[in-house]
Every structure is written in C-alpha cells, then in structure tokens.
Amino acid sequence: MMNKLSKLINSLLVVLWSALFALAANAGPDPQANTSPLIEKGASTGYEPLGDHQNRECQLIRMLGGQLPPRCLPEFENWRQSFEDDTAGWVTSADPGPTGWCGEIERINISDLMCEADEIRPLSGDNHAIVRHGQCNDFFSETFPDGSGPASSLRLLNESFPEGGFTSSVNIYLDPGWAEGAEFGYADAFQDLDAEFPNFRYLFIPVARTETGLFVGEFQVTEAGWYTFSTVYSSGKGNHLSAEFVLSRHDWPLYSQSHDVTLLSEEPVDSFKTHNTSSAYIWFVYISPGLDLAIDEEQMRAGR
C-alpha cells in the first residue's frame, strides 16, 4: 500500500503544475471578484463568510509565490462544514478539470435511514456524509488509474499563524466490526508558503482492521462510534512548527502521536517556520473498496 501511496503522491506533484496554469488561464478579467475555482462551491459554510482575501487574484498570487498585497493578508478565520446543507468544498470525481479530484462523497439525511440498530446516526444535526474510494475525473484518471478518496476544500485561510496555533479536524465513524483488511489513509495537509509550488506537505495516519483489531496508528479502537481526528499545529522553540495527531471521543483525548516527519518528502516538521505555514486540506488518500466511511463536522479553528 505504501508503494502505491508513494506513486500516487509523486505523480500528484507533477500534475499540480498543469492544474496551476489551468487556474491561471481561467482567472477571469475581474481581479476583485470574490470567487475562486478552488472555493466557488461554497467551501466556507460555517463561522465566517469569505472575504476579499479569498478572491481569485489573491489565491493565484499565493499559488505563484508572489508577494501578497495587504488585502490578501487576513487574520485567522475559523471554518466549519457540518454537511447540514450540502457537501460544499469537497472535491471528487464529479468535479471536472484540474480543480476536481477522485472518489465520492454523499450526504446522508436522517430521514433516509431505516431506524435499524446498526445504522449510523449523524454526530449532530440531521445530516452527515459518506466518503468512498473511487476513480478520478477525466483530468486525473490517466495519472491516477487506481483512484483515491476525496479531499476537502483547499483552505487558503490563514496567512498569519495564530497565537496558540490552530487545529484541523474531522469526525469519523469507526467500527471494530469492520471486516479484516478494511483500511483507510487519513492525511492532513499544510502549506510551506516559503517553498516553490507545489508546496503542500502531508501528515499521515493509517487506520486498519487487522486480524487482532481496529487500529488508528498504534491505538486499538474497541467500541463503535464517532471519533475526532485532529491535527494540532503549534509553535515550538524558535517559532518552529510542531504538529500532533490527537484521537478523541466525546472531547476526551484517547491517543496522541507527534508528527515528526512529513509523508514521503521526509522533512522534519520542526524544519518549517510557523510564519511560513498555512492550513491546506484533509485528504483520504485511500479507502478500502466497499468501505462506506462516515464523516461529520469538519472544522479548522484557532487553538486546540
């Protein structure tokens, strides 16, 4: 699986160049338009509306590594996707072109359930979402013939690292009763704003149902239910980046694991400076065929 993962992400780095220039070609004549091909589906559905700093011009300047004008430098914004209205922001095979991706996401309403004991209820509200592994759209299908899981919106939200750091999280329904061999790969991405594009770095957590049980990293899950997957970004000594994965349930931490090295690029996390670090997105790198993975309440917030 790791060889497949390595091939997938190495190919992604090449294809992202094509996506960048496709975005630039479609930038449009109005630099002040408060839309972007990366977020035009309403990626921010929670605490704050999108501001001018999220417009197409600012996003392209970020992607191209140019110096940002003051209007493109917001304070940190909290963000939330509860799936109550839609699955806005998540990219799948249904989204065409370079700003689309792979896999599937489906919103599930509580009224569609059959009230059976083994059905998954939303963590909150009346809706949650199901993500699945699947083929990629036409743009990515030749490069990634094995497909992938979907990814959340590209959250170009924080150009200033907040005091106390920030947390990226999503709730995932885990069940030790899954068939042996069921697995998925969870990655939280951040951006090194000082690096040349593509400047995404990935922090990876494997989840697998082995012959001895269901494991998130080295932690064994023994009870079915909703679990919060959080990546906590904070400032370490000398303003170097520190990142920690935290698994919790009912707001009670169960397991934590320091992210010391980035996935595949194998760079020490503390080699990045916080003032050059921005949030990016969540990506289900792979999901076992036939595994309908329930998710709910995706958030990014200042602090832990």
Side-chain angles (χ1 to χ4, degrees), residues 5 18-20 28 34 80 87 92 103 107 120 126 159 172 182 188 198-199 204 228 234 238 253 262 273 289 292 300:
L5 177 62
S18 300
L20 171 63
N34 190 26
R80 175 173 174 262
T87 59
T92 69
R107 188 167 68 102
I120 298 171
D126 294 328
E159 298 296 344
I172 305 176
D188 197 279
N199 60 350
F204 180 75
T228 305
S234 58
T262 59
K273 288 281 194 173
D292 290 350
M300 188 181 70

Side-chain angles (χ1 to χ4, degrees), residues 106-130 132 173 226 292 294 296:
E106 178 185 2
R107 188 167 68 102
I108 305 296
N109 185 273
I110 196 169
S111 64
D112 298 328
L113 302 177
M114 303 299 293
C115 298
E116 296 180 2
D118 60 347
E119 287 183 324
I120 298 171
R121 303 292 175 178
L123 176 66
S124 63
D126 294 328
N127 301 282
H128 66 283
I130 296 290
R132 303 180 182 93
Y173 193 92
W226 288 103
D292 290 350
D296 205 351

Side-chain angles (χ1 to χ4, degrees), residues 174-180 182 209 213-214 221-224:
L174 303 177
D175 188 350
W178 287 343
E180 183 178 338
R209 174 60 168 89
L214 177 62
V221 173
T222 58
E223 184 178 0

Side-chain angles (χ1 to χ4, degrees), residues 32-48:
Q32 296 301 322
N34 190 26
T35 60
S36 163
L38 295 174
I39 56 176
E40 63 188 1
K41 300 190 326 177
S44 182
T45 60
Y47 302 124
E48 296 291 340

